């Protein structure tokens, strides 16, 4: 009979522990050196996101312990032993600052900012935690908008418009006769190296095609 | 680096999985009907009843703290997770939002594993059997955890480890051989009622063992199976035995129209999947549910949740069937599959990207050049014919819509930039799956139940580049039972078994590799090194090609590494142990090893600011070992050792004190990077190393590197950076790979918050030094001044807000176009995308304006000729003046 009665005492102890937990809303030691990290996530400002609670999780030490948040944004991570933990709010769209929570062997909590470079620096934050969204993640590049100036300074457009200006506008601006004479000379010169007439091009292509080809072939031979 | 918002889903896809189903129940209360599942992967999810898509999903811890012990669906979803302490949580079934949670710690930790949980009249019942003594039953308020009364103890000296629970009855076979009794007790009733009957009364069998098995699914009546032969139902304090149809059948009892029905499912070798239903009270078969489908192959089907409703006079049933291949099917009565989910993909262990064959027309053009014989006329006819075919395909492509992604088997041909591939995945249960990388669609699958996928290796032995030979892929694993090697060879394009097919070899495989030289059929031989140091080559005909081959074998726990030289001695291939190395001094174990990725090295050196060249140490045999172990002074120590895999020479190394290793190490070219946890500063650090020969080359330019020619150690540049993430946050790492390694190299790092970060190697460059320090690398072109923290901006997240849970590994593969690297992340979710580390320098921008450039060209031509016309008119007028 003895061992049985012993176990019954144990069971009663266990029952009492559980009852007291329920009453004290679980903040202190549960008995085996396990603690609860508590806090609240403030929902992001823009509330167009329906059920953001589902999207948001609490990671302790990168997923060693995972917490889920309730409708009102509160969360509790149960059964955490003493130690130092990085508590992160994971949401795919909003950025939250992580917090380092330290639980000492007496069950005292300390929450401070995470600083990976100066690890001994302590900037305390209130506990129970209150996590606020910093900003929305910007994952994407922004496409350039169509603007008139962009179009005008486009090299191809400049290539079209500038010669037009040179040809049409410039001669009219210069009414001075001397320059006109000069221009005439230039145009006369240009006539020599003028672009071929369409008809000439075609006659060359079809009529004299063979000769040009032959001459080309000769040239190639020479090069070789 | 990052994409535009309108490119979402253009190059990437994500598939979400939940894992092998452990518990399933239909949510019949809420308006949108769902299937609630809890899985072996510690995932709770709601699946859409019509499509099978995930409505909401919660991923618990992957360790035992996340194990799901109970799923109960009424108007709320209730789960019990963990293994002492337990967490009881309530969820809203429509939205999946957490409603309440409370923790429960059992004092008796040793026996907690035998706990049984169920929900009885709104109370959570916890039962703990104490063998040969008693049963402890405790009931808790489901919402608050408050205890209703106390723990009641039921004396039951007959309880043993073969007992089964069929709520609320706990049943055992007890007693001496020959006088065994079947005992059952209702553990929730206030007065102890023990049902005890001799086993013979219910089993008129000659031989029996008396093993009990609970029913599958959510049985509506308390029942169990004896010896796979009889179903015993506990009813009115009595037992009732029913016959079972098939030894291997999965049995459950469901509520039918005319009382409960016994549902059984099994797969017959010849007749395929079979389903049958019998009324419990009358024993009559329910004909509309019965199914026999030879086309449907579900290995070892297991019934999950079943829901039958009334339509007219018939049953309309939804039956969840879970196969041994981890696939989950939702069936109707009569066996029509409404949807299937390939949940084995939540556990991918090996990945290989396979090139597609060229299209038939391209192949015809290539074969045209191969045929040397034939007259000039035959040649020109062939030429004209292939050109005609090209014209046809061109016309066809113009007609069909460009944006539609075709993925039928005829379209499985290589595209111009070789971006279209097949990804072959080996999953943990032994299912081999081929998927299309552009659409993510499953093209073929092959289930090999005997394959033990621990340390499985996958080799492309012949690419599709050698028509008329088909591509050839081999998977080397272990046999589940014997532990001997198992080779599966298949055509990765079609999934058909070829060559060795499924072959069990007679020996345990120590190491396997491909031969460097292909045989006449362009097939690379597969070399297996057995634990007795004998060598076997597949196919045997390529045994003579074994030459100048070196293998190494590393034991993770003892950290012993051994090197073997393989030779062909005229008759057979032999292995000779040539070196051995003990990295495990002081109790170290190998956390990870990373051999150098087989890829080109673009440039042999790096130009410095003083116009000299720093030559890279370009050893293709280099292997990196990361070991961790205890240290008397510094608690834990991580060592990184770079070893020449052919000669066994230690080339370089590094030690990190008060640190623990993570299994993340990457190695390409002369670059090495590995992640470790710094216990001293409680943060994650990444160490990088680059190996250089120095300012003078060791060998002659262009000569291949030889491990045996020089015993010089290279100079190493080392640096470490802080990864601004919580401990254990990095989950997987990989380097991008491109065709010719011209493009920048980026490190991909998967973090536990679900993001895959793309970090340029320039940030990880070990030659970065603090400005003004006068050290190597300062002020050089392309070398940034040192900053301890790596920047992880949101723009560097490859998968934007498509978070990935529990990424297990990252795989990269070059595309045919130099700028692009293909990326696949596996884990609970699967994500595929492509990255262009140096931007797509070899492609026109996708927003390139074809219309504008053609309009400009046309306008220019028109303008020149019209101005010429006007000019000539003007000249004419001038001449008249």
């Amino acid at each position: 009979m003895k061992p049985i009665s012993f176990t019954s005492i144990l069971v009663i102890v266990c029952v009492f522990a559980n009852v007291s937990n329920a009453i004290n809303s679980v903040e202190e030691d549960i008995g085996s050196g396990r603690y609860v990290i508590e806090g609240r996530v403030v929902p992001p400002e823009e509330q167009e996101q329906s059920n953001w609670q589902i999207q948001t999780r609490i990671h302790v030490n990168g997923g060693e312990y995972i917490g889920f948040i309730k409708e009102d944004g509160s969360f509790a991570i149960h059964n955490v032993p003493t130690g130092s933990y990085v508590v992160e709010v994971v949401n795919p769209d909003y950025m939250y600052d992580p917090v380092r929570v330290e639980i000492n062997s007496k069950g005292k909590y300390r929450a401070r900012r995470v600083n990976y470079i100066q690890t001994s620096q302590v900037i305390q934050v209130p506990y129970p935690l209150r996590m606020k969204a910093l900003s929305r993640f910007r994952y994407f590049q922004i496409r350039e908008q169509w603007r008139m100036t962009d179009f005008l300074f486009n090299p191809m457009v400049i290539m079209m418009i500038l010669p037009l200006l040179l040809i049409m506008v410039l001669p009219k601006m210069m009414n001075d006769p001397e320059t006109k004479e000069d221009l005439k000379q230039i145009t006369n010169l240009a006539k020599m190296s003028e672009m071929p007439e369409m008809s000439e091009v075609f006659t060359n292509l079809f009529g004299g095609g063979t000769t040009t080809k032959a001459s080309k072939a000769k040239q190639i031979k020479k090069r070789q | 680096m990052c994409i535009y918002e309108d490119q979402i889903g253009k190059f990437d896809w994500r598939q979400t999985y939940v894992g092998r189903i452990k518990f399933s129940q239909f949510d019949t209360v809420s308006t949108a009907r769902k299937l609630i599942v809890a899985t072996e992967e510690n995932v709770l999810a709601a699946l859409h009843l019509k499509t099978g898509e995930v409505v909401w999903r919660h991923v618990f811890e992957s360790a035992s703290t996340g194990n799901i012990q109970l799923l109960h669906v009424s108007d709320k979803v209730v789960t019990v997770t963990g293994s002492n302490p337990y967490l009881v949580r309530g969820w809203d079934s429509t939205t999946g939002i957490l409603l309440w949670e409370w923790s429960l710690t059992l004092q008796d930790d040793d026996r907690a594993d035998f706990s049984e949980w169920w929900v009885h009249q709104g109370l959570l019942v916890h039962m703990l059997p104490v063998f040969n003594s008693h049963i402890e039953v405790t009931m808790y308020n489901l919402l608050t955890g408050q205890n209703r009364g106390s723990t009641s103890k039921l004396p039951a000296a007959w309880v043993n480890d073969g007992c089964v629970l069929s709520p609320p009855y706990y049943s055992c076979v007890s007693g001496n051989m020959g006088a065994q009794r079947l005992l059952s007790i209702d553990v929730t009733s206030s007065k102890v009622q023990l049902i005890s009957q001799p086993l013979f009364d219910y089993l008129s069998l000659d031989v029996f063992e008396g093993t009990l098995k609970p029913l599958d699914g959510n049985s509506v009546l308390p029942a169990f199976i004896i010896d796979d032969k009889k179903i015993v139902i506990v009813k009115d304090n009595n037992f009732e035995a029913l016959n079972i149809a098939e030894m291997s059948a999965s049995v459950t009892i469901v509520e039918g129209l005319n009382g409960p029905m016994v549902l059984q499912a099994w797969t017959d070798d010849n007749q395929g999947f079979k389903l049958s239903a019998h009324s419990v009270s009358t024993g009559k078969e329910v004909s509309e549910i019965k199914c026999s489908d030879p086309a449907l192959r579900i290995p070892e089907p297991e019934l999950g949740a079943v829901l039958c409703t009334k339509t007219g006079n018939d049953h309309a049933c939804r039956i969840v069937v879970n196969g041994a291949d981890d696939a989950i099917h939702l069936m109707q009565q009569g066996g029509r599959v409404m949807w299937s989910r390939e949940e084995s993909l939540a556990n991918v262990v090996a990945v290989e990207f396979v090139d597609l064959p060229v299209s038939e027309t391209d192949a015809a053009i290539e074969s045209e050049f191969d045929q040397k014989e034939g007259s000039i006329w035959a040649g020109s006819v062939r030429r004209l014919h292939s050109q005609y075919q090209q014209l046809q395909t061109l016309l066809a492509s113009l007609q069909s819509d460009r944006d539609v992604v075709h993925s039928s088997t005829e379209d499985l041909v290589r595209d111009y930039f070789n971006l279209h591939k097949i990804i072959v995945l080996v999953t943990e249960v032994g299912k081999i799956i081929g998927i299309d990388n552009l659409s993510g669609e499953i093209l073929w699958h092959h289930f090999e139940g005997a394959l033990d996928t621990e340390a499985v290796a996958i080799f492309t032995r012949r690419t599709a580049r050698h028509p008329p030979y088909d591509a050839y892929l081999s998977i080397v694993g272990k046999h589940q039972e014997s532990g001997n090697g198992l080779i599966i060879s298949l055509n990765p394009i079609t999934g058909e078994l070829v060559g060795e097919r499924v072959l069990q070899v007679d020996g345990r495989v120590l190491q396997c590799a491909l031969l460097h030289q292909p045989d006449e059929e362009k097939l690379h031989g597969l070399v297996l090194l057995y634990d007795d140091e004998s060598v076997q080559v597949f196919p045997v005909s390529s045994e003579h090609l074994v030459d100048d081959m070196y293998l190494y074998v590393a034991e993770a726990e003892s950290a012993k590494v051994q090197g073997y030289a393989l030779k062909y001695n005229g008759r057979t291939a032999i292995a000779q142990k040539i070196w051995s190395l003990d990295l495990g001094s002081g109790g170290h174990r190998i956390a990870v090893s990373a051999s150098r990725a087989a890829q080109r090295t673009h440039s042999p050196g790096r130009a410095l600011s003083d116009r000299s060249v720093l030559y890279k140490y370009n050893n293709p045999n280099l292997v990196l070992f990361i070991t961790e172990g205890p240290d008397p002074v510094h608690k834990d120590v991580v060592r990184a050792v770079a070893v020449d895999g052919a000669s066994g020479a230690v080339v370089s190394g590094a030690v990190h004190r008060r640190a623990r290793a993570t299994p993340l190490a990457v190695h390409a070219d002369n670059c090495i990077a590995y992640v470790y946890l710094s216990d001293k500063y409680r943060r994650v650090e990444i160490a990088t190393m680059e190996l250089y020969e120095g300012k003078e080359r060791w060998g002659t330019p262009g000569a291949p590197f030889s491990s045996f020619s020089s015993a010089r150690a290279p100079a190493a540049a080392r640096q470490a950076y802080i990864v601004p993430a919580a401990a254990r946050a990095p989950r997987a790492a990989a380097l991008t790979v491109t065709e010719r390694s011209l493009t920048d190299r980026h490190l991909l790092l998967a973090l536990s918050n679900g993001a895959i970060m793309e970090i340029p190697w320039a940030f990880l460059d070990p030659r970065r030094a603090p400005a003004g320090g006068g050290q190597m690398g300062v002020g050089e072109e392309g070398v940034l001044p040192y900053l301890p923290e790596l920047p992880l901006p949101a723009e560097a997240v490859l998968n934007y807000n498509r978070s990935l849970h529990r990424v297990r590994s990252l795989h990269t593969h070059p595309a045919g176009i130099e700028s692009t690297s293909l990326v696949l992340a596996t884990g609970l979710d699967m994500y595929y995308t492509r990255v262009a580390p140096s931007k797509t320098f070899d492609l026109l921008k996708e927003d390139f304006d074809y219309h504008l450039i053609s309009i400009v060209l046309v306008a220019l031509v028109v303008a020149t000729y019209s101005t010429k016309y006007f000019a000539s008119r003007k000249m004419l007028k001038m001449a008249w003046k």
Side-chain angles (χ1 to χ4, degrees):
Chain A
M1 272 315 276
K2 241 188 176 177
I4 294 169
S5 64
F6 182 65
T7 42
S8 73
I9 290 164
L10 265 184
V11 167
I12 290 162
V13 168
C14 150
V15 166
F16 269 108
N18 278 308
V19 171
S20 63
N21 285 348
I23 294 162
N24 297 345
S25 79
V26 197
E27 178 127 352
E28 296 305 308
D29 194 348
I30 300 179
S32 52
R34 302 252 176 188
Y35 302 90
V36 182
I37 299 174
E38 282 181 322
R40 178 184 289 272
V41 179
V42 181
E45 295 289 303
E46 300 121 88
Q47 265 297 317
E48 74 268 37
Q49 254 191 319
S50 62
N51 63 21
W52 59 277
Q53 293 96 334
I54 268 286
Q55 302 272 327
T56 314
R57 287 171 302 145
I58 315 294
H59 272 196
V60 177
N61 273 4
E64 203 177 333
Y65 298 92
I66 296 175
F68 301 93
I69 60 174
K70 292 183 189 165
E71 187 97 48
D72 58 350
S74 65
F75 67 87
I77 293 137
H78 294 266
N79 307 319
V80 183
T82 55
S84 170
Y85 303 94
V86 175
V87 180
E88 293 169 289
V89 178
V90 179
N91 184 300
D93 292 311
Y94 290 91
M95 185 159 57
Y96 289 85
D97 250 348
V99 174
R100 187 178 284 281
V101 173
E102 278 150 354
I103 309 170
N104 69 8
S105 52
K106 286 176 194 151
K108 286 271 181 291
Y109 291 83
R110 183 173 75 169
R112 61 190 176 101
R113 279 226 190 118
V114 175
N115 189 334
Y116 289 114
I117 300 174
Q118 290 166 286
T119 47
S120 52
Q121 195 189 45
V122 178
I123 301 169
Q124 262 188 297
V125 293
Y127 183 87
L129 305 171
R130 207 177 143 76
M131 314 292 254
K132 251 186 179 162
L134 289 182
S135 64
R136 214 187 153 90
F137 280 123
R138 286 181 53 184
Y139 292 116
F140 303 107
Q141 265 178 298
I142 295 154
R143 259 201 210 284
E144 283 173 26
Q145 301 289 310
W146 194 88
R147 262 181 263 121
M148 196 60 206
T149 47
D150 282 359
F151 176 77
L152 283 180
F153 291 113
N154 188 328
M156 281 193 287
V157 176
I158 290 175
M159 197 165 78
M160 275 200 312
I161 303 231
L162 221 66
L164 213 74
L165 280 177
L166 282 175
I167 295 161
M168 308 293 242
V169 185
L170 230 74
K172 284 193 178 151
M173 273 165 62
M174 293 185 289
N175 285 328
D176 155 48
E178 259 182 57
T179 43
K180 260 188 186 170
E181 278 298 307
D182 284 353
L183 265 175
K184 215 179 228 174
Q185 271 187 350
I186 289 164
T187 42
N188 280 336
L189 272 173
K191 227 183 210 170
M192 311 285 276
S193 57
E194 199 188 313
M195 270 182 48
E197 277 286 337
M198 268 309 217
S199 53
E200 276 177 42
V201 170
F202 280 106
T203 46
N204 275 345
L205 256 178
F206 294 109
T210 44
T211 55
T212 50
K213 253 188 196 170
S215 64
K216 259 185 194 168
K218 265 180 200 168
Q219 277 176 353
I220 289 162
K221 265 182 194 168
K222 269 178 198 168
R223 262 181 224 160
Q224 280 173 341
Chain B
M1 210 146 93
C2 55
I3 59 169
Y4 296 109
E5 199 158 0
D6 49 40
Q7 287 175 321
I8 289 175
K10 204 163 178 183
F11 312 120
D12 60 337
W13 47 258
R14 179 181 71 164
Q15 292 173 355
T16 51
Y17 293 97
V18 294
R20 182 179 170 81
I21 309 294
K22 201 172 181 180
F23 306 109
S24 57
Q25 249 174 300
F26 287 101
D27 165 32
T28 50
V29 181
S30 54
T31 45
R33 284 194 168 182
K34 288 183 289 293
L35 175 67
I36 312 283
V37 292
T39 70
E40 305 276 355
E41 294 296 308
N42 303 346
V43 174
L44 173 73
L47 305 178
H48 197 279
L49 203 58
K50 295 252 165 58
T51 60
E53 279 163 18
V54 175
V55 181
W56 53 261
R57 183 175 69 156
H58 285 299
V59 181
F60 299 121
E61 293 91 340
S62 50
S64 67
T65 45
N67 281 354
I68 299 174
Q69 309 285 350
L70 170 77
L71 172 74
H72 174 80
V73 180
S74 52
D75 54 335
K76 302 278 182 287
V77 179
V78 178
T79 58
V80 177
T81 54
S83 56
N84 202 29
Y86 298 94
L87 272 177
V88 183
R89 289 183 173 115
W91 313 87
D92 188 297
S93 61
T94 324
T95 58
I97 293 173
L98 179 68
L99 297 173
W100 74 82
E101 63 181 332
W102 50 275
S103 165
L104 194 159
T105 312
L106 299 178
Q107 297 299 322
D108 195 349
D109 195 47
D110 298 337
R111 280 185 288 132
D113 289 346
F114 299 104
S115 294
E116 300 274 8
W117 304 88
W118 73 98
V119 175
H120 178 75
Q121 292 169 351
L123 291 166
L124 179 71
V125 185
H126 170 241
M127 190 197 74
L128 191 64
V130 182
F131 297 147
N132 304 319
S133 170
H134 62 276
I135 304 167
E136 286 171 15
V137 182
T138 320
M139 295 200 214
Y140 301 92
N141 184 320
L142 205 51
L143 273 73
T144 59
Q146 258 167 323
N147 199 306
R148 188 179 68 160
S150 59
T151 302
S152 55
K153 280 205 304 180
L154 309 171
W158 40 271
V159 174
N160 54 43
D161 58 352
C163 296
V164 295
L165 175 79
S166 45
Y169 288 93
Y170 195 60
S171 314
C172 296
V173 170
S174 186
N176 294 325
M177 204 62 185
Q180 283 157 314
R181 292 184 78 82
L182 190 59
L183 298 130
S184 229
I185 189 165
D186 181 353
V187 288
T188 50
S189 74
S190 47
K191 54 177 190 282
V192 179
Q193 282 180 320
L194 185 69
I195 314 165
S196 172
Q197 296 285 346
L199 199 55
F200 290 106
D201 292 5
Y202 298 96
L203 281 175
S204 50
L205 297 167
D206 303 332
V207 190
F208 57 85
E209 289 162 7
T211 54
L212 301 181
K213 204 175 86 177
L215 297 190
D216 296 319
N218 319 307
S219 182
V220 291
L221 291 179
F224 49 88
I225 301 168
I226 304 177
D227 279 356
D228 288 337
K229 286 176 184 127
K230 290 269 182 185
I231 307 164
V232 176
I233 300 171
V234 189
K235 206 174 171 185
D236 306 331
N237 282 338
N238 216 333
F239 295 125
E240 206 179 297
L242 294 170
N243 274 326
I244 201 162
E246 169 74 33
M247 278 280 277
S248 61
S250 165
V251 183
T252 190
I253 299 177
V254 299
E255 198 61 55
L257 293 186
N258 314 310
M261 304 185 289
V262 178
L263 203 64
Q264 304 185 49
W266 70 96
T267 293
D268 192 289
D269 286 341
N270 305 317
Q271 293 163 297
F273 179 74
K274 292 202 131 195
L275 189 71
S276 77
H278 296 270
S279 168
V280 169
S281 50
T282 60
K284 254 196 277 176
E285 183 158 31
V286 185
S287 56
E288 64 260 28
I289 295 174
K290 187 188 169 186
C291 145
S292 174
D293 190 348
L296 196 61
R297 290 274 165 192
I298 302 173
E300 296 167 44
E302 194 187 310
L303 288 167
V306 181
L307 177 74
C308 283
T309 49
K310 194 175 178 178
T311 52
N313 261 334
D314 287 343
H315 288 86
C317 291
R318 298 284 178 275
I319 304 158
V320 175
V321 180
N322 200 4
D325 59 351
D326 285 6
I328 171 173
H329 311 272
L330 184 75
M331 284 185 187
Q332 278 181 331
Q333 71 283 4
R336 197 178 76 84
V337 177
M338 293 177 73
W339 48 260
S340 297
R341 287 178 63 90
E342 204 59 73
E343 289 302 338
S344 61
L345 287 172
N347 263 316
V348 174
V349 288
V351 172
E352 182 82 357
F353 284 75
V354 181
D355 285 351
L356 287 166
V358 291
S359 66
E360 270 176 39
T361 45
D362 289 352
I365 293 165
E366 268 174 37
S367 68
E368 187 191 319
F369 292 107
D370 292 341
Q371 293 170 348
K372 291 278 184 282
E373 73 278 1
S375 68
I376 189 161
W377 290 113
S380 60
V381 164
R382 275 202 301 268
R383 180 82 276 236
L384 283 174
H385 181 69
S386 56
Q387 275 180 343
Y388 172 68
Q389 275 183 328
Q390 274 182 302
L391 190 71
Q392 268 189 322
T393 47
L394 180 76
L395 288 174
S397 68
L398 285 177
Q399 279 167 0
S400 65
D401 194 357
R402 260 217 231 152
D403 298 331
V404 177
V405 179
H406 302 283
S407 50
S408 64
T409 30
E410 302 94 70
D411 286 321
L412 284 178
V413 289
R414 188 179 306 188
D415 57 350
Y416 192 65
F417 294 130
N418 200 2
L419 291 166
H420 194 182
K421 297 190 191 258
I422 284 185
I423 307 173
V424 178
L425 305 152
V426 182
T427 62
E428 202 174 13
V429 283
K431 196 160 196 179
I432 302 151
I433 296 171
I435 59 172
D436 186 318
N437 73 331
L438 295 185
S439 61
E441 201 182 326
I442 294 173
L443 299 170
W444 53 263
H445 53 79
H446 177 82
F447 179 58
E448 198 57 59
L451 179 69
D452 180 357
T453 50
E454 191 203 344
V456 73
I458 180 164
F459 299 102
T460 304
R461 290 172 64 186
R462 181 166 59 207
T463 59
R465 232 171 261 216
H466 308 288
Y469 303 115
D470 283 333
Y472 196 114
L473 189 101
S474 286
I475 292 153
V476 182
K478 264 195 304 190
H479 194 275
Q480 197 103 48
E481 278 145 26
S482 64
N484 288 345
L486 187 73
I487 305 172
I488 300 163
S489 295
L490 38 78
N491 178 346
I493 315 296
T494 58
E496 284 159 13
L497 292 175
V498 289
E500 291 103 23
R501 301 177 74 82
V502 180
L503 180 75
Q504 198 193 149
V505 294
D506 331 309
R508 284 162 192 270
V509 178
L510 212 55
Q511 185 61 284
C512 49
L514 283 192
L515 285 181
H516 306 300
Q517 300 287 332
D519 62 4
E520 300 84 56
E521 294 185 344
K522 306 287 181 209
L523 186 71
H524 288 267
L526 181 69
V527 182
L528 298 186
L529 176 69
Y530 295 114
D531 57 354
D532 60 351
E533 297 186 5
S534 61
V535 179
Q536 197 174 3
V537 182
F538 294 95
V540 184
S541 57
S542 52
E543 206 164 27
H544 66 277
L545 294 168
V546 177
D547 178 38
D548 197 22
M549 213 176 149
Y550 299 92
L551 294 179
Y552 72 90
V553 179
E555 251 179 85
E557 284 311 313
S558 63
K560 284 198 169 57
V561 191
Q562 291 174 333
Y564 293 87
L566 268 60
K567 271 195 296 239
Y568 182 65
N569 64 358
R571 284 175 294 117
T572 175
I574 50 160
Q576 201 180 4
K577 197 198 280 184
I578 52 168
W579 56 269
S580 92
L581 194 65
D582 187 6
L583 300 172
S585 58
H588 273 246
R589 55 175 283 275
I590 296 176
V592 65
S593 74
S595 53
R596 206 179 110 132
Q599 50 180 287
R600 283 161 194 267
T601 303
H602 170 58
S603 72
R606 195 165 159 163
L608 302 182
S609 53
D610 60 355
R611 292 173 155 262
S612 61
V613 176
L614 190 59
Y615 286 100
K616 288 177 185 170
Y617 179 69
N618 203 358
N619 184 350
N621 305 319
L622 207 60
V623 189
L624 173 73
F625 292 102
I626 309 291
T627 68
E628 71 170 345
D631 187 271
V633 186
H634 306 290
K635 269 172 93 181
D636 297 299
V637 163
V638 172
R639 284 199 292 242
V641 187
V643 177
D644 188 306
S647 68
V650 172
V651 169
S652 192
V655 175
H656 304 277
R657 296 189 177 86
R658 285 196 70 182
R660 277 169 299 145
T662 64
L664 305 182
V666 290
H667 184 183
D669 208 2
N670 65 334
C671 307
I672 287 168
Y674 52 93
V675 179
Y676 61 91
L677 309 175
S678 167
D679 273 348
K680 191 178 178 188
Y681 298 110
R682 288 186 305 223
R683 67 190 178 200
V684 186
E685 294 176 15
I686 183 164
T688 57
M689 216 194 298
E690 280 182 358
L691 303 173
Y692 290 100
E693 289 183 352
K695 292 199 176 178
E696 268 160 47
R697 245 177 225 262
W698 293 359
T700 48
F705 186 91
S706 169
S707 292
F708 294 97
S709 66
S710 99
R712 290 167 74 182
R718 296 190 188 88
Q719 196 59 275
Y721 299 91
I722 301 165
V723 182
R728 293 199 185 79
R731 288 299 176 91
L735 287 171
T736 58
V737 193
T738 54
E739 183 80 20
R740 287 170 193 280
S741 307
L742 282 169
T743 313
D744 280 353
R745 191 171 286 122
H746 284 188
L747 177 80
L748 305 176
L749 198 63
L751 300 177
S752 65
N753 63 3
I756 302 174
M757 309 299 295
E758 189 181 358
I759 307 164
W761 185 261
F763 286 132
L764 294 162
D765 194 332
R767 288 151 46 74
R768 284 177 73 179
Q775 287 171 43
M776 178 167 79
V778 176
E780 263 168 45
E781 199 185 348
V783 180
L784 306 163
Y786 180 74
L787 284 174
E789 208 174 40
L790 279 181
L792 296 181
E795 292 89 36
V797 178
L798 270 189
N799 52 333
Y800 42 102
N801 65 358
R802 291 181 164 177
S803 293
L804 305 176
H805 287 272
R806 279 197 220 141
V807 178
R808 192 190 264 198
S809 60
L810 286 166
H811 304 270
T812 52
H813 192 80
I817 185 168
E818 170 56 31
S819 65
T820 311
S821 177
L822 311 177
V823 180
L824 180 79
T826 61
L828 188 61
D829 300 331
M830 216 165 34
Y831 181 77
Y832 165 85
T833 189
R834 59 198 214 201
V835 290
S838 303
K839 301 230 163 121
T840 48
F841 55 83
D842 46 6
L843 265 182
L844 281 178
K845 267 192 218 161
E846 56 156 346
D847 57 346
F848 183 80
D849 210 335
Y850 293 94
H851 297 286
L852 185 71
I853 197 162
S854 38
I855 288 169
V856 166
L857 266 178
V858 169
L860 276 175
V861 169
V862 169
T864 28
Y865 280 101
S866 57
T867 47
K868 217 176 89 51
Y869 170 72
F870 285 122
S872 64
R873 284 245 327 243
K874 201 173 178 187
M875 294 297 279
L876 195 69
K877 270 184 192 163
M878 296 250 285
W880 276 106
K881 268 179 191 169

